[in-house]
Amino acid sequence: MTHQAPIVIVGTGLSGYSLVKELRKLDKETPVVMVTADDGVSYSKPMLSTGFTKGKDAEGLAQAGTDVMAEQLGVEVRTFSTVTGIDTVAHELILGDERLAYSKLVLAWGADVIRLGIAGDGQDHIHSINDLMDYRAFRKALDGGKRVAIMGAGLIGCEFANDLRNGDYEVDVIAPDPYVMPSLLPVAAAKAVQHELTKLGVSFHLGTVVERVDRSEKGGVRLILGNGETLEADLVVSAVGLRPRIELAKAAGLDVGRGIKVNRALETSAPDVYALGDCAEVDGQVLLYVLPLMASARALAKNLVGEHTQVRYGTMPIMVKTPCCPTAVCPPPAGADGEWHTEQEGSDVKALFKAPSGAVLGFAVTGRFAVEKQSLAKEVPPIHQD
Ligand SMILES: Cc1cc2nc3c(=O)[nH]c(=O)nc-3n(C[C@H](O)[C@H](O)[C@H](O)COP(=O)(O)OP(=O)(O)OC[C@H]3O[C@@H](n4cnc5c(N)ncnc54)[C@H](O)[C@@H]3O)c2cc1C
């Protein structure tokens, strides 16, 4: 029975659609069914934090409707269909009361936003933005507003801060960290971005947390911070991190770590089940970025047509979309031996992470040094060395 079943792909984000595009270059015939909990509209998620800068609302950021994608790719797309389980023995996906047989199953179901349990009756004013539908709801809620509070000063919090300032909103950023993006950038680069965002008008409240969000008389919310400060806002954006979706995979008996564990052929521990993108831990690496998922999609498409292929991650610089302070970073491997060497002129920072041998293992560049990202990337060894 199973050999007649389609390839089933769960998720129509960049991972799911990139995989089908790669697969259709190699095989136009094999039936493919895509299943997604959302509306299946194709969009580029990184653009969600650039809407005001680019003058685009949610409709402007949509790239193609579901029907167009289904037709172009020769696939069936089932929208608003939430997977509730996987029966790896029967080779069936469980969608509530329904079972869907698969010949091969690909999990491309992304990562969940972390939600903080915050006290107060203003919960419905807190928005997490992790897909186009979230963004649509956020823009609608923002309509007529003037002031936004952002929880989290990581990459996404900073990008939204810059973008909302470009949209002329008043922006407060609240985070427990001593400076922005502490897990991504060395301190000099982080402080340069923070300085330029501050010059742009962003107000930072660092070293503290939001303790309560209550509705205010004015129709917005009042935030109470751990340091005793009180802030008013029309709405709150929560940008406190993402966690790969592993629960259903774990319940189905798949090996999981921080993500769904796969080898470099993108195979999980269950036969004929693969994973890629934000939900996957590929050979020990959880990288919630576009370049790794594109490389994975190319390799997995080949595996799905029987050409055994291992994904190879090259050097993967991350661009931080803060136009007030252009920034690129290529973090050194976790636990690498070495230290940062920094050259700085105001908010222009060039930091190189060098091993004791002098080899460059990572870099961060801001301001006028940001243009050096391509040449520096050539000096950094790829993630997969073979
Ligand atoms: C604001 C923002 C800015 C970013 N900027 C950058 C950037 O500049 N550069 C960069 O490299 N990366 C960036 N990223 C990260 C990048 O966008 C993600 O790594 C990438 O889009 C993840 O794609 P994905 O397809 O794996 O997951 P997703 O896009 O999350 O797709 C998951 C899919 O699975 C479906 N799904 C989930 N659960 C179920 C279920 N139970 N049943 C059925 N369907 C399900 C969802 O409906 C969705 O279709 C950014 C992320 C954000 C949020």
Side-chain angles (χ1 to χ4, degrees), residues 158 161-162 192-202 204 322 324:
C158 288
N162 198 148
V193 179
Q194 188 175 324
H195 179 72
E196 292 303 314
L197 283 170
T198 305
K199 264 175 46 190
L200 193 67
V202 176
F204 285 97
T322 44
C324 71

Side-chain angles (χ1 to χ4, degrees), residues 11-17 21 34-45 48 57-70 73 77-80 130-133 136:
T12 54
L14 283 170
S15 299
Y17 278 138
K21 283 177 196 160
M34 301 186 78
V35 176
T36 177
D38 62 31
D39 60 9
V41 170
S42 167
Y43 72 103
S44 173
K45 194 184 288 198
L48 296 183
D57 60 8
E59 308 326 310
L61 292 174
Q63 290 171 335
T66 315
D67 294 348
V68 173
M69 293 305 287
L73 298 168
V77 184
R78 295 197 184 184
T79 56
F80 301 110
N130 189 32
D131 60 36
L132 190 61
M133 288 169 62
R136 191 174 291 126

Side-chain angles (χ1 to χ4, degrees), residues 266-282:
L266 290 315
E267 296 163 331
T268 68
S269 58
D272 298 322
V273 183
Y274 305 79
L276 83 162
D278 277 8
C279 64
E281 179 176 324
V282 181

Side-chain angles (χ1 to χ4, degrees), residues 169-340:
Y169 290 88
E170 291 170 45
V171 178
D172 290 284
V173 174
I174 307 103
D177 316 297
Y179 50 86
V180 303
M181 296 183 272
S183 53
L184 188 63
L185 294 179
V187 57
K191 288 197 167 165
V193 179
Q194 188 175 324
H195 179 72
E196 292 303 314
L197 283 170
T198 305
K199 264 175 46 190
L200 193 67
V202 176
S203 300
F204 285 97
H205 310 263
L206 299 178
T208 191
V209 292
V210 176
E211 289 195 336
R212 289 189 69 86
V213 177
D214 287 305
R215 286 163 181 270
S216 72
E217 316 69 56
K218 297 174 201 154
V221 281
R222 181 170 301 119
L223 289 77
I224 312 280
L225 311 191
N227 63 5
E229 263 185 278
T230 300
L231 301 174
E232 299 282 336
D234 294 299
L235 59 80
V236 180
V237 171
S238 176
V240 297
L242 292 162
R243 196 177 282 137
R245 293 189 172 108
I246 57 170
E247 284 70 24
L248 291 175
K250 193 174 171 189
L254 272 58
D255 281 352
V256 297
R258 278 182 60 216
I260 302 167
K261 287 192 174 187
V262 295
N263 58 18
R264 285 176 55 192
L266 290 315
E267 296 163 331
T268 68
S269 58
D272 298 322
V273 183
Y274 305 79
L276 83 162
D278 277 8
C279 64
E281 179 176 324
V282 181
D283 191 24
Q285 308 261 358
V286 177
L287 298 170
L288 308 187
Y289 298 105
V290 174
L291 287 178
L293 76 80
M294 302 294 281
S296 297
R298 286 190 291 272
L300 180 50
K302 290 189 180 161
N303 282 314
L304 291 176
V305 299
E307 285 175 40
H308 186 76
T309 307
Q310 302 232 326
V311 66
R312 186 179 173 283
Y313 287 167
T315 305
M316 298 190 181
I318 299 159
M319 313 307 163
V320 183
K321 299 187 293 303
T322 44
C324 71
C325 186
T327 298
V329 55
C330 197
D337 187 17
E339 53 188 46
W340 288 101

